[in-house]
Amino acid sequence: TVAAIAFAAVIPATGIVAATPALASSIICNAFGHGYCVGAPALGNGDPVRLTARGRQINIVDQHFTWHGHEVFRLHFAAATTRCVGATNSLPKAVKVTLRDCSRGNSSNVNWIEVPRSDGSVELLSTTIDAYLTSDNTLDDQLYLTNCDVCTGDYLKWVF
């Protein structure tokens, strides 16, 4: 499930309550293998999202709609909140995961759902490409998408 932290700000002069967007900051790591995490050595638009030893803090931002019965969310980098985890193109081409403009939503391939697994992990499915966020379990390699649920050498399961 997507965890959320929300708080409200009260403006004393008027008594108005303004809600801020719900966020949860997490480090997302492979559930198996070496346990490397989603990271980005550089934070420019189009820079690769890679497996790193420590990962980066990522804000999980609910988009307030569902796809195939699951809440849709975006993965914003906490250090660059206009940048999200997203995919570069569509299958069957090699789909690399890069930092993308969060505000463009589906056109930037930055919308995801969590598919819970019985072992407590989740698979992260792109709603625009209908493929899973995947790693090859090798430190500093770029993440990619795959559309198979069980592929030899692919690590699809994540923990927050």
Side-chain angles (χ1 to χ4, degrees):
T1 60
V2 176
I5 301 169
F7 64 91
V10 177
I11 303 169
T14 63
I16 298 171
V17 176
T20 60
L23 302 177
S25 183
S26 298
I27 294 177
I28 302 170
C29 300
N30 275 138
F32 300 103
H34 297 297
Y36 296 138
C37 304
V38 175
L43 293 170
N45 195 34
D47 286 339
V49 175
R50 298 185 177 279
L51 272 186
T52 63
R54 294 192 178 133
R56 282 199 180 257
Q57 287 289 324
I58 295 177
N59 297 328
I60 302 162
V61 182
D62 189 343
Q63 297 305 295
H64 306 291
F65 66 93
T66 61
W67 188 73
H68 293 286
H70 299 277
E71 279 298 315
V72 174
F73 60 92
R74 294 185 186 150
L75 302 171
H76 291 244
F77 283 88
T81 57
T82 62
R83 302 287 182 247
C84 282
V85 174
T88 56
N89 51 22
S90 300
L91 294 170
K93 300 174 187 173
V95 181
K96 298 293 186 179
V97 175
T98 63
L99 279 80
R100 312 281 288 170
D101 179 2
C102 295
S103 68
R104 297 192 60 224
N106 282 341
S107 64
S108 285
N109 300 320
V110 296
N111 289 335
W112 302 89
I113 62 168
E114 290 182 9
V115 180
R117 295 300 177 203
S118 60
D119 59 12
S121 68
V122 297
E123 292 176 352
L124 299 173
L125 182 66
S126 167
T127 64
T128 53
I129 298 179
D130 199 21
Y132 296 95
L133 181 67
T134 308
S135 85
D136 63 4
N137 196 37
T138 302
L139 188 63
D140 203 38
D141 274 6
Q142 188 169 359
L143 301 182
Y144 54 95
L145 297 184
T146 186
N147 61 355
C148 62
D149 199 20
V150 179
C151 294
T152 303
D154 286 345
Y155 288 75
L156 288 75
K157 295 184 178 184
W158 303 92
V159 292
F160 297 23

